[in-house]
Amino acid sequence: MQLCKNDLLMNISLIGYMGSGKSTVGKLLASAIHYSFYDLDALIEKEINSSIADYFRDKGEIAFRKLEHELLQHTLTLPNTVLSLGGGTPVYYNNMELINNSSYSVYLQTTIPTLTQRLVKEKSQRPMLQHLTDENLAEFIAKHLFERRMFYEQANFILSTKDWDEKTITNLLLDHLRHQKILQQ
Ligand code: S3P
């Protein structure tokens, strides 16, 4: 199975808010089409040899975004990959332009209640959410998504994921890629 556009193999980038299922869907998709899978957050953690939460605390967000931008540029040059990006990646530098120039981008669009339900359990490990109480999480996500949506909505394809499980989302995405002739069987 191959992905192509104008006879060129296309990488696939998954974007979306934290908790939208990018990593799980990315792994399932990569395995279905026999592509390599990369998670940008995992690549960053490997590079810094620590957790993103610790890096945010010690070096700050600006240093993190710079590293994220550099590793994004590098990863987009790798062949035959499905790439799962961080929730903030499309928002900084000219990252969204780079993503769209070098891959077929898919926005996994998830509802605020679903994101809140998932993220409330993981809040303490997430530097963007750590400072919030459970009660103000939904309001924060709503505002944050509003600020970010103009970047996310530049994706080549927006997949509204409702509260479907990741396997269903992956199958819908595969159908879309085939239907658009981006995926050749
Ligand atoms: C962030 C999302 C995280 C990670 C970092 C910042 C964000 O990635 O890159 O904590 O700004 O939304 P995931 O979306 O993979 O959790």
Side-chain angles (χ1 to χ4, degrees):
M1 238 186 258
Q2 290 185 328
L3 299 166
C4 74
K5 195 176 175 190
N6 306 327
D7 294 331
L8 290 172
L9 292 179
M10 289 285 286
N11 288 341
I12 300 282
S13 296
L14 299 182
I15 66 170
Y17 202 72
M18 291 171 271
S20 58
K22 298 170 299 235
S23 301
T24 313
V25 172
K27 270 182 219 150
L28 291 170
L29 178 67
S31 138
I33 60 175
H34 307 295
Y35 267 36
S36 306
F37 170 72
Y38 293 100
D39 180 322
L40 190 61
D41 285 340
L43 293 175
I44 294 171
E45 290 188 326
K46 201 168 160 208
E47 175 78 17
I48 60 182
N49 201 20
S50 84
S51 71
I52 288 175
D54 286 353
Y55 194 79
F56 255 74
R57 192 197 52 226
D58 298 340
K59 309 268 185 198
E61 184 175 357
I62 292 173
F64 172 78
R65 297 300 175 194
K66 187 163 180 281
L67 190 57
E68 181 181 49
H69 174 63
E70 287 163 3
L71 279 172
L72 171 72
Q73 284 176 297
H74 167 70
T75 315
L76 284 170
T77 65
L78 302 175
N80 305 355
T81 61
V82 174
L83 177 60
S84 158
L85 301 173
T89 316
V91 178
Y92 296 88
Y93 295 88
N94 60 336
N95 289 351
M96 199 57 217
E97 195 184 330
L98 296 174
I99 294 163
N100 279 341
N101 284 343
S102 308
S103 64
Y104 187 80
S105 58
V106 178
Y107 168 29
L108 298 184
Q109 188 183 51
T110 315
T111 64
I112 293 159
T114 300
L115 292 173
T116 308
Q117 201 188 342
R118 290 179 188 165
L119 291 169
V120 76
K121 296 172 228 148
E122 303 169 14
K123 211 165 41 83
S124 60
Q125 304 117 52
R126 293 183 177 274
M128 304 302 293
L129 308 176
Q130 270 166 351
H131 62 289
L132 300 163
T133 62
D134 289 0
E135 291 68 40
N136 61 21
L137 183 63
E139 194 189 336
F140 176 87
I141 292 172
K143 282 192 188 146
H144 210 195
L145 256 183
F146 183 76
E147 287 162 15
R148 289 181 166 185
R149 57 179 279 199
M150 67 172 159
F151 296 93
Y152 293 158
E153 288 177 358
Q154 290 171 37
N156 296 121
F157 177 49
I158 299 176
L159 178 53
S160 178
T161 62
K162 321 277 181 215
D163 54 1
W164 295 323
D165 62 80
E166 280 96 350
K167 225 169 162 186
T168 307
I169 297 166
T170 307
N171 286 333
L172 286 167
L173 184 49
L174 279 166
D175 286 348
H176 167 82
L177 296 169
R178 288 190 185 112
H179 190 250
Q180 294 296 307
K181 308 255 185 288
I182 288 160
L183 185 67
Q184 284 188 336
Q185 193 86 15

